[in-house]
Amino acid sequence: MHIWVDADACPNVIKDILYRASDRLKLPLTLVANQALRVHRSAYIRTVVVPKGFDLADEEIVRRIVAGDLVITADIPLAAAVLQKNSHALSPRGERYSPETIHERLRIRDMMEQLRDSGVRTGGPAALSQADRQAFANALNQLLVRA
């Protein structure tokens, strides 16, 4: 299993959890972003920098993943594309995306985007809590143990 990270918006605390897991389990971890990143030094961790542009990091991840890989992302359309390639997708809050739930998540995302486009202030996501961090670490561990 290769772990891929949609790194532009991934919180540093989640990256730290991933660095430790990658080193502990000797799994390859690649962070994809549209800017240079500082990462933990490890033989298992690398970065890919893509040009700035809408969804270029997402497209690069989808192009490179193979069945069974794991992608860490909060981006619902990216998660849907990952699932179509028989890979796993996990949010930084520990939510495992699944084929059974992804279509509803896409509908909710589209509805919220329409509201924002019409001028409704929907607010952003809540700050990442300690419970979210723990949920992510637990979900990551469950996925990696099964793999």
Side-chain angles (χ1 to χ4, degrees):
M1 175 185 279
H2 192 121
I3 303 171
W4 298 87
V5 182
D6 183 8
D8 287 319
C10 187
N12 287 331
V13 67
I14 299 302
K15 291 176 192 169
D16 290 339
I17 293 168
L18 291 164
Y19 298 153
R20 288 192 301 275
S22 173
D23 280 340
R24 184 178 74 246
L25 299 171
K26 298 177 176 36
L27 288 172
L29 170 68
T30 302
L31 295 96
V32 182
N34 62 18
Q35 59 186 329
L37 299 170
R38 275 195 197 150
V39 299
H40 173 78
R41 286 187 180 260
S42 168
Y44 306 102
I45 300 169
R46 64 188 192 98
T47 62
V48 172
V49 178
V50 298
K52 291 188 187 298
F54 187 71
D55 286 343
L56 292 180
D58 299 357
E59 291 169 8
E60 186 69 16
I61 291 170
V62 171
R63 188 179 70 74
R64 290 181 180 227
I65 62 172
V66 298
D69 282 353
L70 171 61
V71 176
I72 309 302
T73 185
D75 185 292
I76 306 299
L78 173 56
V82 166
L83 293 173
Q84 287 179 344
K85 291 191 77 171
N86 294 317
S87 292
H88 307 280
L90 183 65
S91 82
R93 294 179 185 273
E95 178 188 358
R96 185 166 179 193
Y97 300 105
S98 72
E100 297 78 29
T101 62
I102 197 67
H103 298 294
E104 181 64 22
R105 295 294 310 269
L106 283 166
R107 281 193 287 276
I108 291 169
R109 177 201 170 272
D110 292 345
M111 180 186 72
M112 295 302 284
E113 188 173 315
Q114 287 175 348
L115 287 172
R116 285 189 295 274
D117 289 348
S118 68
V120 175
R121 295 182 61 141
T122 60
L128 197 68
S129 70
Q130 183 61 39
D132 293 327
R133 295 174 196 156
Q134 189 62 51
F136 176 80
N138 290 341
L140 177 66
N141 189 53
Q142 287 174 359
L143 268 168
L144 297 179
V145 165
R146 285 187 204 148

